[in-house]
Amino acid sequence: MTNFINKINDLNLSRRSFIKASAAAAAALPLTGCGNALMKTNAETMTSESEEKWITAACWHNCGSRCLNKALVVDGVVVRQKTDDTHPDSPDYPQLRACLRGRSQRQQVFGADRLKYPMKRKHWEPGGGDKSLRGKDEWVRISWEEALDAIAGEMKRIKEENGNRAFFADGGPVSKVLSLYGGYVGNWGTTSRGTWHGTNGPIGFTPSAVEGINDRLDMRNCETVIMFSMNPAWSAGGNPSYNFLQVKKAGAEFIAVDPYYNDTYALLEADWIPSRPSSDTALLLGVAHTLIVEDNPATNPLIDWEFLKNNTIGFDADSMPEGADPKENFKDYVLGTYDGVPKTAEWAAEICGAEPDRIRYLARAMNKNKKVAIIFGWASARTQNADSLPHIVMTIGAMTGHIGKSGHMCGVSCHTGSSNGGPSLVSAGKDGLPSVKNPVDDSINHTEMWPAILKGKYNFTGNMQWLKGEMRDIDIRMIYHDTSARLQTADGMTKGIEAHRKVDLVVSHAQFLTTNAKYSDFVLPLTTEWEKIGGFLTGNREILIMYSQITEPLYECHDDQWIAMELAKRLGVDPAKAFPIDGRQQLFNQIMGATVVAEDGKTMEPLVTITQADIDEWKVKGKPQTGRITLKEFKEKGIYQVERKPGDNYGFIALKEFRDDPAANPRKTDSGKLEIYCQALADRINNMGYSKIRPIPTHTPPVEGYEATFKDWKGKEKGDYPYQVINPHYLRRSHSVFDNVQWLRETWPNPVFINVNDAKEKGIKDGDTVLLTSQHGKVLRTALVTERYMPGVVGLPHGSWVDMDEKTGIDTGGADNILCGPVSTGQGASGWNSCVVDIEKYSDAPLTPDVQKPQRIIF
Ligand SMILES: Nc1nc2c(c(=O)[nH]1)N[C@H]1C(S)=C(S)[C@@H](COP(=O)(O)OP(=O)(O)OC[C@H]3O[C@@H](n4cnc5c(=O)[nH]c(N)nc54)[C@H](O)[C@@H]3O)O[C@H]1N2
Ligand SMILES: Nc1nc2c(c(=O)[nH]1)N[C@H]1C(S)=C(S)[C@@H](COP(=O)(O)OP(=O)(O)OC[C@H]3O[C@@H](n4cnc5c(=O)[nH]c(N)nc54)[C@H](O)[C@@H]3O)O[C@H]1N2
Ligand code: SF4
Ligand SMILES: [Mo]
């Protein structure tokens, strides 16, 4: 193959313009003060024979997908990217093609706004200095020695004066060191899954997107697919939408229940039932009512009485568990036998906004004799008081019998498991690092952590343990961000900024001046995955990606483990206790332990063949082994994908064994069955002390749901915040990641989506600047007026970096969590998908489009 330079010459490009072009492709890095490989883009290197190599490059973000990305590296410079071409594409054995974010990855890694050196906030002093300046102070470049010494020194002081319960950290490598140093206060939240986290266990339902539904090839057997709160076209890039398209091509009809007619529904030509955010439980109670009153086993069989009888408890008075009041059964609640309120389609419609006839139509579409998938994204469970939502979903699935059979399924289809349920067919091994126990048991729920830092009190319920609530005093002096974008992505950022301005010390590891970093005293520059020796990515059950190093660490960047070990030394802690083996051995352990499913579809066997020569070359400990693929081939290809075809042994039917023989395959509930009446669930939630639920699924109005848009619900008089805002996960980003990439800013401007009628009423036109005001904060965005959002519902994309105008207190960045408040309910679920707001046209000053804002370059 002609080498790269020759190719360029063939294109009649002068060498000068090639160098210009490749530097531009590498995102216009400033050349000063940067001694990395990338910068060897000079005439000298170009005169020699250049080497070109496609290397598998990490796309490591929490984006709900996994795709193959490759970078063309010429003399250490990334000149191009491509995606999966390892085999021909087909619906059964699809390529893993990257989205535009992944294909823009080099814009991020080599961005001019990378943090290059350790930086200190100018007015920080031990004890904090002028803390109010956090987020607006100047930055001063310092050395690693200075930074680490100052941070460790301050930690020692805090420990001496306030004890280990004054440390608040996020759970990354430095947190391990803090555990060895006596412990720290952690945090927990339901983030992605919302109430699917805490509700599934007690009721016996499948907990995750991974094992909740049947696999993608079985889904092609469905006649109807009913989607609730799902948008894989945006939030599960790669193959899921393509998989759903195959289901459509095989003949299925799609129905969508959502306040927003999104691109997924458009792609699948779904029949849209607009329904308000945070009201799905009410809607499904209306469905249950229709099913009960219209079912007739002889003439109109809608309900699967067999399944209800064999596999559930608590549906009616006859199936209640011992000791429970028979009147508390689900059926009588739905019929209103004892409370006088039948949960009819009309009753549901008042809350959810779907027309009663459409609710009845939905119930009939769930007919037990049809092959139906009833599938949910997590979005509808990321709201307040939604603890009963997974419970009503399970109940509806059980009533209609769409559980445990080919072509029938009910549950979560989201994130990397979207469209494709079942256990992983190929996985990486463990890295071999020991876990380190944190001697401090304190852990603060995300909905409470910023108020807890400000008020000095919080409700301890364990870390995802749903313990009985216990009020505890707390006095946090240090916030350490060593993973996640917590300040940006957790509930109640307005309070979060205040909390960051209260403590003595804030430290962030960061690749850019992210929100965490911006409000810190010290920012420590981090390498990206492209600068590390390699690693694994998975999620999609059929694939395992092994990525490799693309470039040497840029500037003075280091990884989290290196920083943690350096701090450990300064704190008098032995770093080897947390990190006894180096990164190379960690990676090799994962390679050696990688497994792949055998042809029987059950047994797992070693994936990678390893020779003594491999072990010698890597300079690691290990034993030779025989697997499916050689290490060299795996590294070069960068992916192992299990080839699928209809009728293979790798299919999956969720809950099949339980349906077929519940006695031999009990669920892990008190009764061994799915519990429609579930005392354990009610006890779990009610003990925590945030709010109460009943043992059967009922609609509890969210603190900031539709009901809260009224001053007077009965009289239907609207209040000060008459709209519900939701936070769709947005194409420009993976949460907050990629928000600084100019290419992506240009492509997706991050508007606010407003329904046409609402816009008209408010005198807002497409392109106008809109002020959104909630009880917790104010943000500005540009209006995108659309019929795709139902009236009363506003869409503010999730994850945009806050950009606070300190004079007005208005965020010009459009950050969702400036609007969303810290509100604790039920199981402590973060309540994002309904926050009540007002909207108005804003004329004070025009809003600069995000792409025209300067990049955050601090050195
Ligand atoms: N209002 C609202 N808020 C939400 C949601 C919503 O819908 N609405 N969704 C929620 C959901 S589902 C989720 S999962 C969360 C996600 O919340 P986060 O996990 O906090 O979000 P990310 O933006 O992915 O944060 C990852 C951060 O890690 C940094 N990073 C990258 N590589 C490294 C590394 O090697 N080391 C370290 N230390 N950092 C690194 C990135 O730069 C980025 O800042 O957000 C939640 N927040
Ligand atoms: N591009 C991109 N993709 C991502 C992410 C990202 O940040 N960016 N984040 C990833 C992560 S970590 C997660 S957890 C997933 C989240 O994925 P999902 O949980 O599916 O969340 P969204 O994509 O925000 O919303 C999906 C749909 O739910 C609808 N919806 C919102 N509230 C309700 C409701 O109360 N009821 C009903 N019926 N519908 C509702 C929205 O209108 C939207 O159409 O996305 C992943 N994928
Ligand atoms: S969908 Fe996710 S993994 Fe795939 S290329 Fe895009 S950002 Fe990367
Ligand atoms: Mo998530």
Side-chain angles (χ1 to χ4, degrees):
M1 199 157 109
T2 44
N3 77 23
F4 188 75
I5 296 292
N6 291 342
K7 261 194 253 167
I8 296 290
N9 286 341
D10 290 348
L11 290 171
N12 285 332
L13 269 177
S14 71
R15 201 176 68 199
R16 177 179 283 270
S17 57
F18 162 64
I19 292 163
K20 260 207 235 145
S22 58
L29 262 177
L31 288 162
T32 45
C34 171
N36 59 70
L38 173 86
M39 288 304 111
K40 287 177 196 132
T41 316
N42 52 37
E44 203 185 356
T45 16
M46 289 303 150
T47 50
S48 62
E49 282 294 289
S50 299
E51 254 192 32
E52 63 172 272
K53 203 171 177 196
W54 283 105
I55 302 180
T56 300
C59 196
W60 66 98
H61 318 288
N62 182 12
C63 65
S65 195
R66 280 300 162 242
C67 317
L68 190 65
N69 280 277
K70 297 218 169 188
L72 180 63
V73 183
V74 182
D75 291 334
V77 182
V78 176
V79 294
R80 249 195 304 151
Q81 278 190 240
K82 71 173 181 182
T83 185
D84 193 358
D85 56 4
T86 53
H87 61 86
D89 187 58
S90 74
D92 292 347
Y93 185 39
Q95 294 173 346
L96 278 299
R97 296 194 196 166
C99 79
L100 299 189
R101 294 180 301 273
R103 293 178 199 229
S104 310
Q105 185 68 70
R106 71 202 138 127
Q107 293 287 315
Q108 191 208 43
V109 170
F110 301 118
D113 55 351
R114 275 291 296 272
L115 285 179
K116 303 172 186 75
Y117 312 103
M119 306 291 281
K120 182 180 87 94
R121 184 170 72 76
K122 190 170 177 188
H123 295 92
W124 181 83
E125 286 162 23
D130 185 349
K131 303 171 183 182
S132 70
L133 288 178
R134 289 194 183 118
K136 45 189 174 183
D137 209 346
E138 285 169 59
W139 292 100
V140 183
R141 180 180 169 185
I142 55 174
S143 69
W144 273 106
E145 290 293 314
E146 284 172 278
L148 294 163
D149 289 349
I151 295 166
E154 188 64 353
M155 282 182 176
K156 284 184 187 160
R157 182 192 67 80
I158 291 172
K159 182 177 160 108
E160 246 161 57
E161 291 175 15
N162 305 91
N164 279 81
R165 289 182 76 240
F167 297 140
F168 182 79
D170 232 5
V174 167
S175 305
K176 279 191 169 187
V177 168
L178 283 172
S179 291
L180 294 168
Y181 189 53
Y184 67 95
V185 176
N187 61 76
W188 72 280
T190 57
T191 52
S192 309
R193 300 179 189 182
T195 56
W196 287 94
H197 258 298
T199 297
N200 283 282
I203 65 172
F205 207 29
T206 44
S208 67
V210 178
E211 300 196 19
I213 58 159
N214 306 357
D215 78 294
R216 65 185 173 92
L217 299 187
D218 185 71
M219 199 185 277
R220 295 184 195 164
N221 297 319
C222 290
E223 293 166 272
T224 308
V225 178
I226 305 174
M227 295 177 144
F228 288 78
S229 60
M230 289 185 58
N231 190 9
W234 279 20
S235 60
N239 293 341
S241 299
Y242 186 57
N243 294 340
F244 282 121
L245 203 56
Q246 308 316 316
V247 177
K248 184 175 172 61
K249 282 187 182 156
E253 298 173 326
F254 285 76
I255 301 173
V257 182
D258 199 301
Y260 165 37
Y261 191 72
N262 64 40
D263 286 354
T264 307
Y265 308 145
L267 172 79
L268 300 167
E269 296 173 307
D271 186 359
W272 183 30
I273 303 181
S275 180
R276 294 188 185 105
S278 301
S279 69
D280 302 73
T281 306
L283 178 138
L284 288 170
L285 285 166
V287 166
H289 187 274
T290 307
L291 290 168
I292 293 169
V293 299
E294 292 193 359
D295 172 75
N296 182 319
T299 56
N300 188 26
L302 294 173
I303 296 181
D304 187 341
W305 293 101
E306 257 316 272
F307 188 83
L308 281 179
K309 185 163 146 277
N310 295 339
N311 299 73
T312 72
I313 61 159
F315 178 71
D316 54 21
D318 298 334
S319 62
M320 289 290 275
E322 224 174 285
D325 178 356
K327 287 183 178 164
E328 276 291 301
N329 73 80
F330 179 73
K331 185 175 165 205
D332 282 313
Y333 167 73
V334 171
L335 292 174
T337 314
Y338 303 107
D339 66 5
V341 185
K343 314 302 174 299
T344 59
E346 281 74 13
W347 172 88
E350 188 187 1
I351 301 164
C352 73
E355 286 166 23
D357 279 346
R358 297 289 278 164
I359 296 174
R360 283 186 278 266
Y361 153 82
L362 184 63
R364 291 169 199 145
M366 293 180 182
N367 183 337
K368 83 169 178 80
N369 287 330
K370 285 193 108 175
K371 288 187 173 174
V372 180
I374 305 170
I375 52 178
F376 274 75
W378 288 317
S380 46
R382 289 196 297 269
T383 185
Q384 303 136 1
N385 284 331
D387 306 278
S388 289
L389 176 66
H391 202 183
I392 187 73
V393 174
M394 178 276 276
T395 302
I396 292 290
M399 286 175 75
T400 53
H402 299 307
I403 292 180
K405 284 191 288 188
S406 170
H408 302 257
M409 64 200 84
C410 175
V412 168
S413 172
C414 196
H415 206 260
T416 49
S418 185
S419 77
N420 198 13
S424 289
L425 301 173
V426 52
S427 348
K430 296 209 166 74
D431 59 18
L433 287 180
S435 59
V436 180
K437 195 174 154 36
N438 180 1
V440 170
D441 73 346
D442 286 275
S443 187
I444 313 181
N445 179 259
H446 288 169
T447 63
E448 273 198 274
M449 65 189 170
W450 307 137
I453 292 174
L454 293 169
K455 285 191 292 197
K457 271 197 188 327
Y458 84 101
N459 183 26
F460 172 80
T461 60
N463 183 344
M464 281 273 179
Q465 290 160 298
W466 333 104
L467 304 176
K468 190 171 164 52
E470 171 198 327
M471 284 312 286
R472 287 188 180 178
D473 289 333
I474 200 82
D475 183 8
I476 300 295
R477 298 302 178 112
M478 176 192 84
I479 298 174
Y480 201 112
H481 295 293
D482 63 344
T483 172
S484 94
R486 200 62 73 207
L487 177 57
Q488 173 71 54
T489 53
D491 320 57
M493 204 192 304
T494 308
K495 289 271 180 249
I497 292 173
E498 264 184 68
H500 278 66
R501 286 179 174 158
K502 175 174 185 258
V503 298
D504 299 351
L505 175 68
V506 187
V507 184
S508 284
H509 299 185
Q511 294 153 347
F512 310 95
L513 196 67
T514 55
T515 302
N516 280 351
K518 189 172 171 177
Y519 289 91
S520 292
D521 300 313
F522 291 89
V523 291
L524 305 179
L526 268 188
T527 46
T528 67
E529 293 310 298
W530 282 25
E531 293 144 74
K532 297 184 188 168
I533 56 167
F536 285 95
L537 292 163
T538 185
N540 174 339
R541 67 190 292 256
E542 293 163 21
I543 64 152
L544 180 65
I545 291 172
M546 183 184 171
Y547 60 88
S548 298
Q549 184 162 17
I550 303 295
T551 175
E552 290 297 314
L554 299 182
Y555 314 101
E556 288 185 8
C557 294
H558 283 289
D559 66 18
D560 297 290
Q561 269 184 34
W562 181 88
I563 301 171
M565 291 170 79
E566 288 300 316
L567 272 177
K569 289 182 209 158
R570 287 163 173 82
L571 293 171
V573 166
D574 179 7
K577 286 212 167 110
F579 311 104
I581 51 175
D582 67 8
R584 181 169 292 273
Q585 183 72 51
Q586 290 168 32
L587 179 59
F588 203 78
N589 289 346
Q590 289 182 281
I591 298 169
M592 283 193 295
T595 52
V596 60
V597 71
E599 250 172 64
D600 64 5
K602 294 190 185 92
T603 345
M604 297 300 279
E605 52 191 40
L607 174 67
V608 188
T609 296
I610 292 168
T611 62
Q612 189 58 46
D614 293 328
I615 295 166
D616 297 344
E617 190 192 327
W618 278 64
K619 299 191 179 66
V620 287
K621 289 196 181 123
K623 279 198 198 114
Q625 64 182 34
T626 308
R628 202 67 78 73
I629 182 170
T630 65
L631 179 51
K632 184 166 175 284
E633 196 190 338
F634 190 27
K635 198 166 147 60
E636 266 171 25
K637 232 178 171 186
I639 186 168
Y640 188 89
Q641 181 172 358
V642 176
E643 188 168 350
R644 300 255 0 238
K645 53 178 182 296
D648 65 19
N649 282 337
Y650 312 132
F652 179 73
I653 311 285
L655 292 173
K656 182 174 188 323
E657 291 77 16
F658 168 68
R659 167 183 264 274
D660 294 346
D661 189 351
N665 304 286
R667 303 300 299 161
K668 285 192 191 119
T669 56
D670 293 345
S671 63
K673 296 190 177 182
L674 295 173
E675 298 200 345
I676 296 173
Y677 178 96
C678 185
Q679 191 61 50
L681 174 65
D683 289 348
R684 163 179 285 198
I685 307 288
N686 298 342
N687 272 335
M688 289 175 73
Y690 291 128
S691 58
K692 300 254 182 242
I693 62 163
R694 285 166 67 172
I696 48 170
T698 64
H699 169 71
T700 309
V703 178
E704 297 196 28
Y706 178 59
E707 291 91 333
T709 64
F710 292 89
K711 208 180 313 187
D712 172 15
W713 170 249
K714 284 217 174 99
K716 291 287 175 287
E717 194 192 336
K718 280 285 191 182
D720 294 340
Y721 304 102
Y723 301 94
Q724 289 179 273
V725 71
I726 57 172
N727 308 143
H729 288 212
Y730 190 50
L731 281 170
R732 177 159 111 194
R733 295 177 291 269
S734 170
H735 305 288
S736 66
V737 173
F738 291 117
D739 199 37
N740 51 331
V741 174
Q742 296 298 89
W743 282 4
L744 299 174
R745 290 191 158 201
E746 197 178 335
T747 310
W748 291 298
N750 200 78
V752 57
F753 300 93
I754 301 173
N755 168 272
V756 251
N757 294 349
D758 295 340
K760 209 181 208 172
E761 251 174 56
K762 286 284 185 169
I764 295 169
K765 285 195 294 299
D766 209 58
D768 281 352
T769 302
V770 176
L771 176 69
L772 291 93
T773 306
S774 78
Q775 294 159 69
H776 317 285
K778 292 171 188 284
V779 309
L780 290 179
R781 283 289 91 188
T782 305
L784 193 155
V785 176
T786 174
E787 300 212 8
R788 282 174 162 215
Y789 271 76
M790 71 187 287
V793 183
V794 169
L796 179 71
H798 161 57
S800 187
W801 291 10
V802 67
D803 191 2
M804 190 56 76
D805 180 336
E806 296 284 346
K807 280 195 226 88
T808 58
I810 298 174
D811 166 33
T812 63
D816 46 357
N817 283 311
I818 286 290
L819 285 188
C820 296
V823 181
S824 312
T825 63
Q827 59 189 264
S830 289
W832 291 305
N833 273 328
S834 180
C835 156
V836 296
V837 292
D838 195 13
I839 52 172
E840 63 196 286
K841 188 173 161 163
Y842 186 79
S843 321
D844 283 11
L847 185 66
T848 311
D850 296 346
V851 68
Q852 284 170 25
K853 286 185 179 177
Q855 288 178 286
R856 292 183 184 175
I857 300 172
I858 55 171
F859 202 92

